[in-house]
Amino acid sequence: MTGFVQLSPARAASAVARTRARLAAAGHDLPLRLWDGRELGVDREYRLVLCHPWSLRAALVPPSDLQAGEIYVGGGVDVEGSMVAALRDIAAFRERLPLPERLALARLLVRLPPPPQRFDGGRIALSGRRHDPDRDAAAVRHHYDVGNDLYRLFLDRDLVYSCAYFADEDGHASVTDRAVLDRAQRRKLELACRKLHLRSGERLLDVGCGWGSLVIHAARHHDVQAVGVTLSEQQATLARERVAEAGLADRVRIELCDYRDVRGRFDAIASVGMVEHVGADQLPNYVRTLYDTLRDGGRLLNHGITTGRRDQIRDLGAQPDNFVGRYVFPDGALVPARHMIGLLERGGFEIRDVEQLRPHYARTLQHWVANLEGAYEEAVRLVGETTARVWRAYLAGSVVGFEVGDLGVIQVLATRGDAALPLTRDHLRLSAASPRHDAA
């Protein structure tokens, strides 16, 4: 594809128009606005804004998530309206466009001007050996210490930063209805407690406790003694404030420490949305640590994102073209569901229940993106344009990943030895009449 003459801005606009027309003929009609203000395509939920003659080429050649993400974060491309809708369409033509059409489009795109330089502002640079405690702490703080106020913009009122649990009737509700997300997250907290079959006076450990939502809920509604651990200083500070405001300081303790440094034995352990930070090669040690921290008859609820492909282990930090690994989750790793279940079994646990929550997480992320986009100017004021763009791209891209099955999320209930659990799943049923799942 060498030897093409670079085009002037006017001729570049014609080349972009031909590229869009070719996509439209193949069933992928992208609405565009060019750098000169011209609009191509009918109005839809979104419009892609090409800020420069080189923008479309830079976003699509080479076809990598990192390349496209950096062009957006750097301001070479913008999205007006729903970013989720835009990424759905882009993912569709990347996946479904026949090879001859891809080659024809590539020939058009490489005739566009190249970008003047590559943007990589905001990339994460960590030092030290991967997954040693200091580097893990730095990685976690990069993600979670971006500011509690940013998370307040898009999370529910209890600040639950993991997959919610929706009722069937929620499927028709608007993703801009924050009350729906509030109920779904409280429902998830109650479901986690019921799966763990918490009893009055038991000791609960929450590994990666976030802002303390689960330990507060468990202490308030299930009368447990709870310890939450996190590596994020900002999370720990706010979690302690929330525990005190709830009047639970005598039953809930928040510790700023690595899960590997927890001492004592617990009746139940919850690990919700934390295992993704551990690293694929560290998972056997993670499982061993949790097993040793449980008493005999104890219960573990391990809730984590998985890859959608059965044999794919995705090391986000090691993949050179991975936007999330470079900008959002340094050193993170995802494994298939069966791999995680196998590790738990090999570590001595008995698997008692497995639930795939993929559709719930796609819905959760739709709420988060809608909330962030609805408060985008405030997000920029809080963290700056670059970070706000990273988060918008990350959350919207994750919606598509869960919708198409590239990502999953499983809750695994496992026990150390013979736990006294109910014989059926009847105790897990949640209803509008429940005094707990809709409690404040």
Side-chain angles (χ1 to χ4, degrees):
M1 297 181 187
T2 60
F4 288 101
V5 177
Q6 299 297 331
L7 305 180
S8 66
R11 296 185 67 187
S14 295
V16 169
R18 291 197 300 274
T19 302
R20 196 206 69 82
R22 188 152 198 145
L23 280 170
H28 305 284
D29 192 355
L30 300 179
L32 303 178
R33 177 179 297 127
L34 306 190
W35 53 91
D36 59 8
R38 189 188 328 175
E39 294 191 349
L40 306 175
V42 298
D43 286 336
R44 296 173 60 189
E45 293 177 79
Y46 70 93
R47 187 169 288 276
L48 290 177
V49 181
L50 306 180
C51 302
H52 307 281
W54 48 261
S55 294
L56 191 62
R57 169 177 172 167
L60 298 180
V61 180
S64 77
D65 290 342
L66 179 62
Q67 175 88 352
E70 287 186 339
I71 294 303
Y72 169 71
V73 171
V77 172
D78 207 348
V79 179
E80 293 181 355
S82 170
M83 190 155 192
V84 171
L87 294 183
R88 282 174 181 149
D89 282 357
I90 292 171
F93 85 70
R94 278 183 169 178
E95 180 70 23
R96 301 171 193 166
L97 205 63
L99 181 59
E101 284 298 312
R102 293 185 193 182
L103 294 174
L105 286 170
R107 293 188 186 98
L108 288 172
L109 288 168
V110 297
R111 298 189 65 183
L112 294 169
Q117 61 185 15
R118 181 166 182 171
F119 175 86
D120 61 2
R123 274 199 189 192
I124 303 158
L126 298 176
S127 60
R129 186 169 55 87
R130 291 184 70 188
H131 298 300
D132 71 19
D134 288 342
R135 177 163 170 148
D136 276 353
V140 166
R141 287 167 187 162
H142 170 88
H143 186 82
Y144 294 99
D145 285 358
V146 69
N148 293 334
D149 288 341
L150 176 66
Y151 284 97
R152 282 191 176 102
L153 290 183
F154 66 88
L155 297 182
D156 64 298
R157 67 181 183 183
D158 290 327
L159 295 176
V160 183
Y161 185 44
S162 56
C163 176
Y165 199 80
F166 294 91
D168 286 334
E169 58 266 26
D170 296 332
H172 302 292
S174 170
V175 294
T176 62
D177 188 343
R178 298 191 75 133
V180 174
L181 180 61
D182 289 344
R183 288 195 302 270
Q185 289 292 18
R186 290 194 295 274
R187 189 181 292 114
K188 190 275 295 294
L189 296 177
E190 178 61 18
L191 180 66
C193 292
R194 293 191 186 193
K195 285 187 175 183
L196 286 167
H197 201 53
L198 297 178
R199 300 156 196 146
S200 177
E202 288 191 321
R203 298 189 71 218
L204 167 68
L205 172 66
D206 185 4
V207 175
C209 67
W211 293 274
S213 301
L214 179 57
V215 287
I216 290 172
H217 184 95
R220 176 184 285 153
H221 296 296
H222 296 268
D223 193 30
V224 299
Q225 296 287 324
V227 175
V229 298
T230 176
L231 289 172
S232 165
E233 294 179 356
Q234 292 189 25
Q235 283 188 333
T237 297
L238 182 54
R240 288 167 181 154
E241 292 173 3
R242 297 182 66 217
V243 168
E245 290 171 0
L248 295 169
D250 60 330
R251 285 188 281 161
V252 177
R253 187 171 78 252
I254 304 296
E255 296 184 358
L256 184 66
C257 77
D258 193 293
Y259 76 98
R260 291 166 285 200
D261 295 328
V262 173
R263 296 295 177 262
R265 289 287 185 91
F266 293 83
D267 301 288
I269 298 176
S271 177
V272 181
M274 180 271 179
V275 68
E276 301 91 336
H277 295 283
V278 170
D281 60 334
Q282 296 298 310
L283 286 174
N285 293 331
Y286 164 83
V287 170
R288 186 179 308 113
T289 299
L290 297 186
Y291 187 86
D292 291 343
T293 308
L294 268 181
R295 69 164 178 82
D296 288 339
R299 293 88 63 199
L300 166 69
L301 186 69
N302 193 78
H303 169 126
I305 298 172
T306 62
T307 59
R309 296 172 185 170
R310 294 179 181 176
D311 298 312
Q312 182 187 66
I313 293 177
R314 195 175 306 165
D315 188 335
L316 304 182
Q319 292 179 343
D321 62 346
N322 188 280
F323 175 78
V324 172
R326 298 291 179 175
Y327 283 82
V328 185
F329 277 118
D331 291 351
L334 307 176
V335 301
R338 68 170 185 168
H339 185 80
M340 190 69 241
I341 292 169
L343 285 170
L344 290 168
E345 287 190 321
R346 286 192 291 275
F349 285 100
E350 180 182 25
I351 307 300
R352 298 296 297 268
D353 187 85
V354 179
E355 186 170 9
Q356 172 62 256
L357 301 179
R358 181 188 61 78
H360 292 273
Y361 217 165
R363 187 78 179 171
T364 303
L365 283 152
Q366 289 174 32
H367 279 270
W368 290 349
V369 175
N371 292 341
L372 182 63
E373 290 182 337
Y376 189 74
E377 291 184 3
E378 178 65 9
V380 171
R381 187 189 71 79
L382 289 171
V383 299
E385 183 74 36
T386 295
T387 301
R389 282 176 173 258
V390 166
W391 278 80
R392 186 187 182 203
Y394 151 60
L395 293 175
S398 297
V399 172
V400 179
F402 281 101
E403 286 181 339
V404 302
D406 190 45
L407 298 170
V409 59
I410 58 168
Q411 277 190 353
V412 181
L413 176 65
T415 63
R416 174 172 172 160
D418 189 14
L421 293 175
L423 293 176
T424 72
R425 304 180 87 252
D426 291 347
H427 65 293
L428 302 182
R429 293 177 183 169
L430 299 171
S431 69
S434 169
R436 291 173 178 159
H437 85 269
D438 281 337

